[in-house]
Amino acid sequence: MRHGQIYRTKVLIYRESRGDEVRHDFFTDQFKSATLTKDKQLDKHIDGITGATLSVRALTKLARIALYLDRQLSLQHGQQQHSEPR
């Protein structure tokens, strides 16, 4: 992630019998530059893959969680900088 957006999505291990298309660049490239909206949703539409509904949902949810955690760390880092004595 760079500045609150997704830089790259990579599936390292896939063990299910269906839906392994989510491992390929044609799918994961959809997440590039995605950011999180105020209601904690991705600002980009992610096209699904027939037969891989659960895999698509899982990757979308993981992207949202990663962006949320990045946001929280950025906020925490900003608060620490402001609270340090000069």
Side-chain angles (χ1 to χ4, degrees), residues 28-86:
T28 58
D29 283 351
Q30 296 181 87
F31 291 92
K32 283 183 182 176
S33 301
T35 61
L36 203 60
T37 64
K38 288 182 182 183
D39 61 345
K40 299 180 183 86
Q41 299 297 316
L42 295 180
D43 69 339
K44 298 175 97 177
H45 173 75
I46 304 299
D47 288 329
I49 297 172
T50 303
T53 304
L54 294 177
S55 300
V56 172
R57 284 183 188 165
L59 283 176
T60 302
K61 189 171 189 172
L62 285 171
R64 290 173 49 214
I65 290 169
L67 288 166
Y68 176 77
L69 291 174
D70 179 67
R71 181 184 288 174
Q72 296 306 308
L73 287 172
S74 294
L75 290 172
Q76 183 180 13
H77 180 71
Q79 289 174 353
Q80 287 176 354
Q81 278 186 329
H82 293 303
S83 64
E84 291 178 4
R86 294 180 184 203

Side-chain angles (χ1 to χ4, degrees), residues 4-45:
Q5 65 182 7
I6 294 177
Y7 174 71
R8 178 177 46 207
T9 302
K10 184 87 172 155
V11 177
L12 301 177
I13 298 173
Y14 192 86
R15 295 188 176 128
E16 297 299 321
S17 59
R18 292 184 167 173
D20 68 334
E21 295 90 351
V22 297
R23 298 179 299 124
H24 300 291
D25 291 343
F26 77 86
F27 178 75
T28 58
D29 283 351
Q30 296 181 87
F31 291 92
K32 283 183 182 176
S33 301
T35 61
L36 203 60
T37 64
K38 288 182 182 183
D39 61 345
K40 299 180 183 86
Q41 299 297 316
L42 295 180
D43 69 339
K44 298 175 97 177
H45 173 75

